[in-house]
Amino acid sequence: MTSVLARTALSHRICTGIPRKQLGSLIAELAVPWMARQDSRLRERRGHDRLRAEGGGPGHQLVFTDRVIATLVVLRFQLPHVALGVLYGVDRSIITRAVHEIRPLLAVRGFAVPGESGSRLRTLADVFAHADARGVELRLDGTEIRVRRPRAGKPGRRAFISGKMRQNTKKATVITDEKGRTLWTGAIRPGRMHDQMAVNTERIGDLFDRFPTVKAKIDSGYRGLAKRFPDQLQAPPKRPGKDAPASYVTQWAQARKQQSSERICVEHANAEHKQWRTLQRYIGRREHYDDTRLAIAGLVSDRTAMR
């Protein structure tokens, strides 16, 4: 199979997870920062500016467009790099190098703003400013992904063991709007850390102080935040005691169901992220997980922003 045939087949939205029209826009968006990084890397290696005109010297075995497509396929299906190398007729190391070049560029893109083409949210403060300006009610939720177990004897090995899943995981916090459109993913921490502690490391309490009009619906894992900001955060009602009257139990069940139905959209957003095979169970190196998570979440936000 030639590289042209591989590009034609792999550029389909089934393989990349995004339509071809959006793929073209993404390639154009990433071309400038990729060239800047390449020039910086080459200049650092040479120790001086280039002496030959641009275009001189050997060309890339895998052109930039194919590098982006190969990276998207790896993120989408966690396909072995050797298999993609066979399709493109290059060595496995070429695919690996392409993924390492493109994945960080995807990770720093940020998240699309619904109804505002060209605007992106990159920090948690950006999300709160957007919610404050547009009157958006946020939804917060934590999600965990299984990762490789650290080698025996490595310091901090137990930090990845999740108390909920009893597996080695990394967790991330996802924030959406009322329609389940991804606005931010971050606070990526080892699985043993509690959901509320993870967002506290991002100083979310200070942001609620700065933006007193921003409100959010959360699950019981953030009940401490709800106690601190009762007018801004709504957590599920506490379960009544065993000796509570039946009418009170019925009222509690109805309130809990109502709060759950209003918060379920963030669970649907998590499910959209995990449609990408890489986030169903991550088998790559843990040091690359953060970039992988952010890259996929940013691509998903591009699609959900159009809803």
Side-chain angles (χ1 to χ4, degrees):
M1 177 180 288
T2 66
S3 61
V4 175
L5 292 177
R7 181 190 308 168
T8 303
L10 295 177
S11 62
H12 194 279
R13 66 178 303 168
I14 293 177
C15 299
T16 62
I18 59 178
R20 280 199 173 104
K21 183 178 180 180
Q22 184 181 341
L23 176 61
S25 301
L26 180 65
I27 291 172
E29 177 188 343
L30 297 180
V32 175
W34 180 77
M35 284 297 300
R37 288 196 178 194
Q38 289 294 102
D39 292 343
S40 176
R41 179 180 63 84
L42 292 175
R43 190 189 186 289
E44 183 178 354
R45 188 174 68 181
R46 291 190 303 260
H48 55 78
D49 293 331
R50 63 182 305 144
L51 302 179
R52 284 197 282 185
E54 292 189 15
H60 292 288
Q61 290 182 275
L62 201 64
V63 298
F64 176 71
T65 297
D66 292 331
R67 289 169 182 259
V68 176
I69 293 173
T71 302
L72 293 176
V73 173
V74 169
L75 294 176
R76 179 71 167 166
F77 295 115
Q78 210 160 213
L79 199 66
H81 297 182
V82 175
L84 279 176
V86 171
L87 294 176
Y88 278 107
V90 297
D91 188 73
R92 186 269 311 163
S93 62
I94 303 296
I95 302 296
T96 301
R97 187 179 303 117
V99 173
H100 286 317
E101 291 175 0
I102 303 300
R103 183 173 51 200
L105 299 179
L106 292 171
V108 299
R109 290 177 65 234
F111 309 92
V113 180
E116 299 181 19
S117 59
S119 299
R120 305 192 73 84
L121 306 173
R122 291 180 172 82
T123 65
L124 192 55
D126 292 342
V127 177
F128 273 73
H130 167 72
D132 182 60
R134 301 290 185 271
V136 177
E137 188 177 54
L138 304 177
R139 307 289 192 273
L140 276 76
D141 190 41
T143 180
E144 296 183 76
I145 305 295
R146 291 179 63 184
V147 297
R148 281 181 171 182
R149 181 175 62 181
R151 61 178 174 81
K154 185 174 182 179
R157 189 177 189 227
R158 288 176 54 84
F160 291 91
I161 301 178
S162 167
K164 179 181 179 181
M165 297 181 65
R166 305 296 180 186
Q167 299 284 344
N168 290 270
T169 67
K170 291 197 76 172
K171 64 174 50 179
T173 302
V174 177
I175 298 181
T176 70
D177 61 7
E178 307 94 330
K179 296 183 179 180
R181 297 174 293 194
T182 300
L183 299 179
W184 184 78
T185 296
I188 302 173
R189 301 291 185 271
R192 196 176 186 85
M193 183 177 291
H194 193 272
D195 291 353
Q196 181 170 307
M197 180 62 69
V199 293
N200 283 340
T201 60
E202 298 288 333
R203 306 183 68 86
I204 194 172
D206 295 343
L207 292 173
F208 276 114
D209 284 328
R210 284 173 53 192
F211 299 96
T213 61
V214 174
K215 297 184 179 181
K217 285 185 169 59
I218 55 178
D219 64 8
S220 56
Y222 304 96
R223 196 177 296 279
L225 274 175
K227 290 181 178 179
R228 183 179 172 186
F229 303 98
D231 297 331
Q232 296 176 256
L233 294 172
Q234 182 188 30
K238 286 188 176 181
R239 180 187 294 273
K242 296 181 180 179
D243 54 347
S247 59
Y248 186 78
V249 174
T250 302
Q251 183 180 4
W252 165 81
Q254 292 175 348
R256 181 178 180 276
K257 183 177 180 180
Q258 177 65 26
Q259 199 268 355
S260 178
S261 65
E262 294 174 353
R263 201 190 59 84
I264 195 65
C265 58
V266 70
E267 302 287 357
H268 294 163
N270 287 333
E272 285 184 296
H273 296 177
K274 293 177 183 179
Q275 288 174 359
W276 293 61
R277 180 67 180 86
T278 307
L279 294 186
Q280 294 174 18
R281 181 178 179 181
Y282 185 72
I283 60 176
R285 293 180 177 273
R286 289 187 314 281
E287 53 265 31
H288 301 315
Y289 173 80
D290 293 11
D291 281 351
T292 300
R293 185 68 155 106
L294 295 175
I296 292 175
L299 293 168
V300 171
S301 74
D302 293 338
R303 185 180 72 246
T304 60
M306 296 184 290
R307 288 205 293 246

